[in-house]
Amino acid sequence: MQKTTLTLFELNSLVRDVLETTLDSLFWVEAELSEAREVRGHCYMELVQKDIFSATPIARASAKCWKQRWQVLRPKFEGVTGQPLRAGMKVMLQVAVSFHEAYGFAWIVQDIDPTYTMGDMARKRLEIIRQLRQEGVFDMQKELTIPMFAQRVAVISSESAAGYGDFYSQLSNNDYGFKFYPRLFAAVMQGERVEQSVVAALNEINRHVDDFDVVVIIRGGGATADLSGFDTLELAENVANFPLPIITGIGHERDESILDMVSNTRVKTPTAAAAVLIDNLVAVLSCINDYERRVAMRVKQVMDKERRRLDRSAERVPMLFSLVKTRQEAHLDRLMSRMVSLVNHNVSTAGHRLQLASANLLPLVERRLERANNELGRLEFRVKALDPQLILRRGYSITLLDNKAVRHADQLKRGDHIVTRLEHGSVKSVVE
């Protein structure tokens, strides 16, 4: 038998005819976006359905919304949901089948139901809030207090964001001249990288936590609709457990993210976040001024009380002095009387002792004088016995050398001049 063959184009054309004939109506389909991107005004989506137990994809398909239709659907969707289409979002799309010989199968989006996405987003938000409350961290930031002198500020924001510039200018040019020391930790503030980037900035701040008093997360200049990055469980847990109070200024009046809910203080804009810090110092200054007035008033009251007490004491001083003077004079008189009596007694006793000593002293003096006279007589006799003149009278002589008696011949040498004293006169000689 001869085989019947078709070209690929013919086969694809046949498939297109069958699909367009069989599936010629519109269908509403529920799916999750695994990808959503705009190219030259058209929106290209990748749809997926996951197993409810394992989160494993069990169906996939591509969908397209052409530019003319997308320009109508996009503002409608973002106006209701407050967010653009993004990966991970649940959507309900009205689609028509499309099969092109060259590009294959795709669903063409004709409409989108934003209320379905809103419901899914609300369900996810409620689930995250429930889990945070179950973990006991939802209100942890509310238990922290912004320090009285909160001037060292860690700022998480996009470096190029207009909101950061407004925040910095508001702090630097405040009407009170307060000094603040902000330090920027740059982060992505919109899109799919918000969670990862802000958590990384918080981790960096936590490594230097002692250098800061407060953390400010601000967002300005981006799309007001794109707040989805601030509605994640991981970011909310990091903020709720952070050791420093966190101020958020990432939304507007009607927008409140989960991050706003768990933060210490939530404000509308970056400038409002700066105003919180300025007002905090204003309140501290007012408190200081109030305490200063109270201290001054209390000091004045104490001084007035002490002044009155001193005045009363001063009035009593003359009377007290007179009383004390009288008492002291009487005391001195008693002391003087006792002293005179004591001196008289001591003088009388000393006189009696002197009389006794005088009576005993005269015999003692006479005996001492008698002994002294006897001793002088003995000494006088000995001196006369040793008189050299007596020796000379007996026929002896004395030889002198330099007026000293010569006792031994070895004391003399040739040429010495000596003198020999006799009973009558003296003789001078030279030793040969």
Side-chain angles (χ1 to χ4, degrees):
M1 292 179 59
Q2 187 176 5
K3 294 180 180 180
T4 302
T5 60
L6 297 173
T7 64
L8 180 59
F9 180 81
E10 290 173 334
L11 180 59
N12 285 351
S13 296
L14 179 60
V15 171
R16 185 188 66 180
D17 292 340
V18 171
L19 289 175
E20 290 180 354
T21 301
T22 306
L23 303 174
D24 58 350
S25 58
L26 300 176
F27 301 91
W28 284 99
V29 60
E30 299 175 0
E32 180 181 328
L33 292 175
S34 63
E35 184 180 345
R37 66 187 189 280
E38 284 192 26
V39 179
R40 294 190 295 274
H42 308 296
C43 182
Y44 295 87
M45 311 172 202
E46 294 295 327
L47 309 180
V48 65
Q49 180 181 345
K50 296 178 180 178
D51 183 83
I52 59 175
F53 300 105
S54 63
T56 301
I58 58 176
R60 293 180 182 275
S62 297
K64 304 172 184 176
C65 188
W66 303 123
K67 180 178 180 179
Q68 185 176 1
R69 190 64 182 163
W70 181 239
Q71 289 178 346
V72 176
L73 296 183
R74 176 181 175 178
K76 172 186 174 183
F77 180 83
E78 293 182 356
V80 175
T81 65
Q83 299 186 30
L85 284 177
R86 58 178 175 80
M89 186 176 282
K90 293 289 186 66
V91 292
M92 180 179 287
L93 306 174
Q94 187 184 53
V95 296
V97 68
S98 172
F99 189 88
H100 191 277
E101 290 84 349
Y103 303 110
F105 179 85
W107 292 105
I108 305 302
V109 178
Q110 302 296 325
D111 199 357
I112 186 169
D113 184 358
T115 59
Y116 174 85
T117 302
M118 280 288 291
D120 182 69
M121 290 168 52
R123 180 189 61 78
K124 287 183 177 179
R125 281 167 58 94
L126 290 175
E127 177 61 25
I128 292 174
I129 293 171
R130 184 197 65 77
Q131 186 168 344
L132 292 171
R133 292 188 183 280
Q134 185 176 354
E135 293 173 1
V137 300
F138 189 82
D139 294 315
M140 284 184 64
Q141 271 282 316
K142 301 295 191 296
E143 297 174 2
L144 300 178
T145 303
I146 296 176
M148 293 180 64
F149 298 95
Q151 296 170 278
R152 302 174 302 166
V153 186
V155 184
I156 299 178
S157 180
S158 172
E159 187 172 7
S160 59
Y164 172 67
D166 294 339
F167 173 84
Y168 187 88
S169 176
Q170 183 89 347
L171 285 185
S172 302
N173 303 312
N174 66 85
D175 296 336
Y176 303 90
F178 296 143
K179 295 294 183 182
F180 291 92
Y181 308 96
R183 177 179 169 187
L184 176 65
F185 292 82
V188 176
M189 302 305 288
Q190 70 178 51
E192 297 180 2
R193 294 180 53 214
V194 168
E195 178 187 71
Q196 175 187 355
S197 183
V198 175
V199 169
L202 286 172
N203 290 336
E204 180 64 21
I205 295 170
N206 196 39
R207 281 191 283 270
H208 307 280
V209 69
D210 292 335
D211 295 338
F212 301 101
D213 304 311
V214 67
V215 178
V216 174
I217 302 176
I218 52 177
R219 173 181 178 271
T224 60
D226 190 7
L227 293 173
S228 59
F230 302 101
D231 281 337
T232 67
L233 178 61
E234 182 180 357
L235 180 55
E237 287 177 333
N238 273 268
V239 169
N241 287 284
F242 204 75
L244 295 178
I246 295 179
I247 302 171
T248 57
I250 58 175
H252 294 268
E253 183 65 40
R254 68 181 184 87
D255 303 310
E256 184 178 33
S257 66
I258 294 177
L259 182 64
D260 290 320
M261 295 179 186
V262 299
S263 66
N264 178 274
T265 305
R266 181 252 178 173
V267 293
K268 304 175 188 177
T269 61
T271 53
V276 169
L277 295 174
I278 295 170
D279 291 344
N280 181 65
L281 286 189
V282 170
V284 172
L285 179 61
S286 175
C287 183
I288 292 174
N289 290 336
D290 180 60
Y291 276 109
E292 183 181 3
R293 288 191 296 271
R294 291 169 62 181
V295 168
M297 183 181 301
R298 179 58 180 164
V299 169
K300 184 178 182 301
Q301 291 173 350
V302 171
M303 290 184 66
D304 290 343
K305 179 180 178 181
E306 291 301 311
R307 187 177 293 108
R308 290 191 296 271
R309 188 177 67 84
L310 287 174
D311 290 341
R312 291 194 298 271
S313 298
E315 293 173 356
R316 296 174 59 192
V317 164
M319 179 180 64
L320 292 174
F321 178 75
S322 176
L323 179 61
V324 170
K325 179 182 177 182
T326 302
R327 290 176 178 175
Q328 291 300 319
E329 287 177 347
H331 181 62
L332 289 174
D333 289 341
R334 289 194 297 273
L335 289 177
M336 180 64 71
S337 176
R338 289 174 60 189
M339 185 181 298
V340 170
S341 176
L342 184 59
V343 168
N344 291 334
H345 175 73
N346 290 339
V347 169
S348 175
T349 302
H352 179 66
R353 288 179 180 176
L354 285 174
Q355 289 176 359
L356 293 176
S358 177
N360 295 327
L361 183 60
L362 183 59
L364 291 174
V365 171
E366 291 176 349
R367 286 197 294 271
R368 289 292 299 272
L369 288 175
E370 184 178 355
R371 285 199 297 269
N373 287 331
N374 294 335
E375 183 66 24
L376 285 174
R378 288 194 297 273
L379 291 175
E380 183 180 5
F381 178 76
R382 291 178 63 187
V383 169
K384 288 180 178 180
L386 295 175
D387 188 356
Q389 194 64 33
L390 294 176
I391 297 173
L392 294 177
R393 287 176 184 171
R394 294 174 186 170
Y396 295 98
S397 65
I398 301 173
T399 300
L400 303 174
L401 175 63
D402 297 329
N403 293 324
K404 294 181 180 180
V406 176
R407 298 176 179 275
H408 197 282
D410 291 342
Q411 291 180 249
L412 303 176
K413 61 181 182 294
R414 187 187 294 268
D416 285 341
H417 294 271
I418 60 176
V419 177
T420 303
R421 288 184 61 184
L422 305 173
E423 179 183 4
H424 299 287
S426 62
V427 178
K428 293 183 180 180
S429 307
V430 178
V431 179
E432 292 291 335

